[in-house]
Amino acid sequence: MHRFACGLLMRHAPMQFLTRIAVRYGGIARIPLGRGFLYLVSTPDLIKTLLVDHRACFMKNTRYAVLQRVLGQGLLLSEGDVWRRQRVAAQPSFKPGALERNVPWMSSMVADHLDRWAERAARRASIDLSSELSRLAQSLSGHLLFGSVFSRYADSVFGLIESLEKSWPKVPRFLRPASRQRQAEKAAQLAQTMDAFDAKFLAMIDESQGSEAACMLTTLRADRAPGCEPYTDSQLCDQMKTLFFAGYETTETSMIWTQYLLARHPAVSARMTEEVDRLPPGRTLSADDLDALPYIDQVFKESLRLYSPIHSLSRVALEECELGGYRIPKGATVMVSLYASHRLPQYWPEPERFDPERFSAAQSAARHRFAYLPFAAGHRNCIGALLAVFEAKLIIAQIARRFRLRLVTRAPVKPRAGTTMHPSREIHMRIESRT
Ligand code: HEM
């Protein structure tokens, strides 16, 4: 296809464009884009080759200067020995036992947040899903990282996130070049916001010094890797920002899509409600309760299939190599579109249909392990995958126990390929109390 046409399609409907290519050309396709080519890898075998077998030939694509400015050298963007140390140091906080210990306070935090919904339900008011769920996800993420210290900083952090969203480029610059002046203004705005952000995070790190509170910061501080200096405050700041953003934005996005899908599929919603009504009564949920929610687990998985918050994985070839019969030049960008791969009809019949049954034990058993990758795979897979499932089940189940959400927004909602895959417009829901 012509370079110009590919550029236009990538700009206006990237995920649909990549899906068409993945379905039509299969394993790997070379797309002329910008001044070079983008290599799209789509089938499970080749994705495994890229992410696991040939992983040493590729590094993560860290060319996005904006992301670098925001996250610094944290776990998401670091490479080599720096990454390895960070991953080992962070891992204990993400083990099942450690996560289970957080369930009681997380569950209370969700319940407190939903108390505000009860007032709205009494007034038959509607909510904007995104702003409601982002506050909740940010609070959970902040408290996991900093413990109670976060409460004192929460409002200013929420405010800074709003400023950050305003200065964030909506699409990569090569696809929509803004005027030089506009670019400079946005960059200055972003730098100012991030300076303020760093100051808040450094202040929280400083305030937590000497505290024994069980939070991720304490675990990271305790890391004494052999032969390594203790982390500096600036390194801790990068790591905490990375975990904060990686943790809250994906959770928020996945919750918006899940509630949207549930509101549009009353039969699924009804079956889910039956499941939560079988739980022992109470205002909050325990870690054991989460195990008793297999259908919610299926609902969440199917929502992540259709609307994977991270819609694509991008890698850069460190040397010339071969992939699926193609010669990949050194420096080329190789992409996996999770949006496209999760719609390949040979693995997902009627791919656009929302059907949690796809994730029943019977249907999942025969599926290729790399056909479904919302949390990626290989050594750079999502460290927070289990945490994400815990948070999702807590939020979905606690909403379902207390409320029914009715879709108010009538206009079509489409996915938009930003840093995460947000809906194209605000989604408003009317809240009805079930009791
Ligand atoms: C529904 C929720 C989530 C989804 C769909 C998700 C998805 C992903 C994906 C696809 C990657 C790989 C990115 C790449 O290779 O380019 C990733 C990496 C990562 N995620 Fe998540 N994530 C979620 C929640 C979380 C949470 C709750 C945390 C932690 C607080 C987290 C922390 C991270 C980190 C630190 C990495 C980088 C890991 C590394 O490179 O070693 N994520 N996530």
Side-chain angles (χ1 to χ4, degrees):
M1 194 184 281
H2 195 276
R3 191 170 290 274
F4 180 71
C6 289
L8 272 183
L9 287 162
M10 274 298 273
R11 175 174 155 182
H12 290 294
M15 290 174 301
Q16 294 77 356
F17 175 53
L18 295 177
T19 305
R20 266 175 34 215
I21 293 178
V23 170
R24 181 156 173 200
Y25 297 102
I28 181 163
R30 194 178 75 154
I31 308 169
L33 211 59
R35 275 185 239 120
F37 292 95
L38 173 71
Y39 294 80
L40 179 71
V41 173
S42 301
T43 45
D45 280 334
L46 267 190
I47 295 176
K48 177 172 174 291
T49 310
L50 172 74
L51 297 181
V52 179
D53 308 331
H54 287 184
R55 70 182 223 193
C57 303
F58 296 93
M59 63 175 278
K60 289 186 76 165
N61 190 352
T62 54
R63 290 165 178 167
Y64 304 114
V66 181
L67 214 52
Q68 289 278 6
R69 175 62 191 92
V70 173
L71 302 180
Q73 277 301 292
L75 188 54
L76 197 71
L77 300 181
S78 58
E79 288 285 343
D81 289 343
V82 175
W83 166 78
R84 202 163 294 109
R85 181 187 176 197
Q86 288 176 340
R87 180 96 188 190
V88 171
Q91 205 78 55
S93 302
F94 293 94
K95 294 230 159 87
L99 293 177
E100 276 164 19
R101 281 194 288 281
N102 287 305
V103 168
W105 71 258
M106 283 165 62
S107 184
S108 298
M109 188 171 275
V110 175
D112 291 348
H113 189 86
L114 295 182
D115 287 344
R116 295 209 296 273
W117 287 23
E119 294 161 24
R120 309 252 188 112
R123 287 188 275 117
R124 297 184 66 74
S126 64
I127 52 162
D128 163 25
L129 265 188
S130 175
S131 52
E132 281 297 321
L133 294 169
S134 68
R135 276 298 147 88
L136 178 56
Q138 286 162 18
S139 299
L140 289 168
S141 202
H143 282 86
L144 268 163
L145 292 173
F146 292 103
S148 57
V149 169
F150 185 74
S151 308
R152 288 193 286 286
Y153 289 83
D155 284 337
S156 42
V157 170
F158 298 155
L160 286 170
I161 292 174
E162 277 173 24
S163 314
L164 186 61
E165 278 163 6
K166 286 186 196 128
S167 49
W168 195 263
K170 296 283 179 263
V171 290
R173 212 172 288 156
F174 74 96
L175 293 174
R176 185 186 292 182
S179 74
R180 267 171 200 257
Q181 192 195 343
R182 187 79 194 110
Q183 276 179 33
E185 278 167 17
K186 283 234 172 195
Q189 206 183 339
L190 183 93
Q192 206 180 10
T193 308
M194 282 323 294
D195 286 346
F197 219 101
D198 288 352
K200 292 287 171 218
F201 269 53
L202 285 166
M204 285 193 276
I205 289 169
D206 187 48
E207 219 171 286
S208 318
Q209 190 90 36
S211 153
E212 294 295 310
C215 61
M216 289 193 187
L217 177 57
T218 314
T219 313
L220 283 185
R221 265 213 181 99
D223 171 41
R224 292 280 176 275
C228 293
E229 293 290 313
Y231 288 116
T232 62
D233 281 359
S234 154
Q235 286 168 327
L236 279 176
C237 181
D238 281 0
Q239 188 67 314
M240 298 303 267
K241 278 190 303 180
T242 295
L243 293 172
F244 180 73
F245 282 106
Y248 98 76
E249 222 191 316
T250 45
T251 302
E252 169 204 337
T253 310
S254 67
M255 288 300 92
I256 298 173
W257 285 117
T258 306
Q259 293 304 329
Y260 174 71
L261 287 163
L262 285 168
R264 298 196 57 198
H265 295 84
V268 173
S269 193
R271 186 165 159 199
M272 190 187 72
T273 308
E274 276 169 30
E275 183 172 85
V276 294
D277 286 352
R278 286 196 292 273
L279 291 173
R283 189 168 171 276
T284 56
L285 298 179
S286 69
D288 286 344
D289 293 333
L290 298 187
D291 287 337
L293 299 170
Y295 190 63
I296 288 192
D297 201 62
Q298 287 178 222
V299 167
F300 183 51
K301 284 186 172 135
E302 174 67 344
S303 159
L304 292 181
R305 179 188 71 82
L306 276 171
Y307 300 116
S308 245
I310 305 292
H311 50 87
S312 60
L313 312 173
S314 184
R315 299 290 184 265
V316 176
L318 291 167
E319 56 199 61
E320 185 180 305
C321 59
E322 190 259 283
L323 204 59
Y326 270 80
R327 188 188 64 82
I328 312 284
K330 181 176 173 183
T333 303
V334 182
M335 184 186 264
V336 178
S337 163
L338 301 180
Y339 184 90
S341 294
H342 289 174
R343 283 168 171 73
L344 294 179
Q346 60 271 42
Y347 300 98
W348 311 102
E350 293 182 74
E352 291 300 336
R353 194 159 61 86
F354 174 61
D355 177 13
E357 267 326 288
R358 297 182 202 270
F359 290 96
S360 63
Q363 288 200 37
S364 305
R367 193 173 295 129
H368 194 300
R369 155 84 185 79
F370 283 73
Y372 178 68
L373 295 168
F375 297 109
H379 68 307
R380 302 299 300 251
N381 71 347
C382 176
I383 198 172
L386 188 59
L387 169 60
V389 173
F390 274 39
E391 289 187 336
K393 283 178 146 183
L394 281 175
I395 297 171
I396 300 170
Q398 283 177 269
I399 293 178
R401 274 181 133 184
R402 295 173 63 178
F403 304 104
R404 232 175 261 110
L405 299 191
R406 307 268 187 218
L407 195 59
V408 174
T409 304
R410 289 281 159 236
V413 177
K414 296 204 178 95
R416 199 187 66 208
T419 321
T420 59
M421 192 170 72
H422 250 256
S424 55
R425 60 175 73 244
E426 284 182 359
I427 301 178
H428 290 263
M429 298 267 190
R430 201 178 63 239
I431 316 172
E432 293 172 6
S433 205
R434 287 189 58 219
T435 47

